[in-house]
Amino acid sequence: LFDSKIILGKNGVPVAANFRLEQSTIADAIQAGQVRVRTLYLSVDPYMRCRMNEDTGSDYLLPWQLSEVADGGGVGVVEESKHDNLAEGDFVTSFNWPWQTVAILDGSLLQKLVPQLVNGRLSYFLGAAGITGLTALLGIKEKGHVTAGGNQTMVVSGAAGACGSLAGQIGRLEGCSRVVGIAGTDEKCSILVQEMGFDAAINYKKGNVAEQLRELCPSGVDVYFDNVGGDISDTVINQMNQNSHIILCGQISQYNKDVPYPPPLPPDIEKIQKERNITRERFLVLNYMDKQEASVLQLCQWIQEGKLKVRTFTVTCGL
């Protein structure tokens, strides 16, 4: 819940005081078509910063309202149902799950889950087998123009994040011959290389990123999975090849700033983009939901086969 006494503003950094925790009761009885659910997992994601502005900058994202319950991706279990297709004990998910321990929801807006697809790890449906994994997979397929045997080099910024860590692995599975990640600590870089199969990783807080990129990507960059924007992305674009492709997934470095999305490139970088015919198109995974079912099954298959490594960070909250 937002605290209406503290206004964040477009250029502010979110703090705990922007939220408050309340205890309340819900109705004893549910209506036809509804279900009562107990929340198991909630996902906290970078895009939520945009929902803390009156204008989210995206027509598909509604702003959170002051003194109203926040919402986002969630997974829960049905405790009572008056919906024909859902029964007690079913596991369900929604992109607009309220941040409540228990909620009454419209059953038609929930998606029933099959835990066996992720070896019982339900939180994966909010990550590698959910909207995050779909964003990585469909972003690469729809905007990356990866060709098996094409000897392409992919660079991923924000590579140790939920989406970036999957994108690098999927880039490899789809046919990239070299995958290089950019992250913010030596530990993250080590995990990318040793656990997730990246060829190399750059700690952008150490050394010269441009020099390291030239060394690690001697043939230039063909595909750039951009999660961060800003100076890091400018550096990568400067080393991209003719007719290469930027998968514009996110611009995390800009989310606390009052700038349009996607943020405009500096004039010198924009000139490079145009001269080299580098594609940089806004990517919205919700535009490809007709491919959701097949894509989720592909992600789950890779998870089961051990081809897609997943790391999650879970905080347990209790009332």
Side-chain angles (χ1 to χ4, degrees), residues 171-298:
R172 170 83 74 200
L173 290 167
E174 288 294 305
C176 285
S177 59
R178 185 163 184 79
V179 178
V180 176
I182 302 176
T185 69
D186 289 341
E187 180 185 9
K188 291 178 181 179
C189 290
S190 177
I191 290 171
L192 291 174
V193 174
Q194 296 181 14
E195 293 186 21
M196 298 187 172
F198 283 61
D199 292 285
I202 297 170
N203 181 349
Y204 70 87
K205 296 180 181 179
K206 286 186 174 181
N208 186 301
V209 174
E211 290 179 358
Q212 294 177 76
L213 270 177
R214 279 191 289 271
E215 177 183 348
L216 296 173
C217 305
S219 299
V221 179
D222 301 295
V223 184
Y224 173 39
F225 199 100
D226 185 6
N227 286 306
V228 303
D231 293 341
I232 293 296
S233 289
D234 296 344
T235 301
V236 177
I237 294 171
N238 194 49
Q239 299 191 33
M240 294 187 72
N241 294 325
Q242 192 75 23
N243 301 319
S244 54
H245 305 282
I246 299 171
I247 303 168
L248 192 58
C249 178
Q251 301 282 277
I252 295 173
S253 70
Q254 307 299 302
Y255 287 169
N256 290 322
K257 301 176 183 179
D258 185 7
V259 295
Y261 187 89
L265 296 171
D268 58 329
I269 301 299
E270 184 178 18
K271 181 180 179 182
I272 290 172
Q273 181 208 346
K274 291 180 178 179
E275 289 178 346
R276 299 180 190 172
N277 192 34
I278 302 170
T279 62
R280 182 180 183 258
E281 301 169 345
R282 183 172 183 173
F283 170 71
L284 177 58
V285 69
L286 298 179
N287 288 338
Y288 302 94
M289 285 298 97
D290 59 316
K291 301 180 181 181
Q292 176 185 10
E293 184 175 353
S295 297
V296 168
L297 290 175
Q298 175 65 83

Side-chain angles (χ1 to χ4, degrees), residues 25-190:
T25 58
I26 61 174
D28 292 330
I30 61 175
Q31 306 300 314
Q34 293 183 327
V35 295
R36 177 184 283 106
V37 295
R38 176 167 51 85
T39 301
L40 299 176
Y41 297 98
L42 297 170
S43 184
V44 179
D45 303 285
Y47 81 88
M48 291 176 168
R49 175 61 184 87
C50 303
R51 300 190 67 189
M52 299 175 79
N53 299 330
E54 286 186 87
D55 179 3
T56 66
S58 301
D59 53 10
Y60 65 94
L61 285 179
L62 296 176
W64 282 336
Q65 299 299 311
L66 293 176
S67 297
E68 296 292 334
V69 178
D71 68 294
V75 166
V77 60
V78 175
E79 294 189 325
E80 182 183 358
S81 176
K82 288 190 177 180
H83 187 278
D84 292 341
N85 297 327
L86 296 173
E88 180 182 349
D90 284 346
F91 295 103
V92 290
T93 186
S94 169
F95 189 65
N96 299 109
W97 195 285
W99 286 10
Q100 301 174 196
T101 54
V102 178
I104 295 175
L105 303 176
D106 182 345
S108 64
L109 301 180
L110 299 174
Q111 180 181 355
K112 187 175 177 179
L113 300 174
V114 181
Q116 292 83 355
L117 289 176
V118 289
N119 301 321
R121 296 171 176 171
L122 289 169
S123 64
Y124 283 16
F125 286 116
L126 297 179
I131 199 74
T132 308
L134 287 171
T135 300
L137 176 57
L138 291 172
I140 289 169
K141 280 185 169 291
E142 300 297 330
K143 299 295 184 181
H145 301 275
V146 174
T147 304
N151 198 32
Q152 292 165 293
T153 294
M154 171 185 279
V155 170
V156 183
S157 59
C163 194
S165 62
L166 297 172
Q169 297 178 76
I170 292 170
R172 170 83 74 200
L173 290 167
E174 288 294 305
C176 285
S177 59
R178 185 163 184 79
V179 178
V180 176
I182 302 176
T185 69
D186 289 341
E187 180 185 9
K188 291 178 181 179
C189 290
S190 177

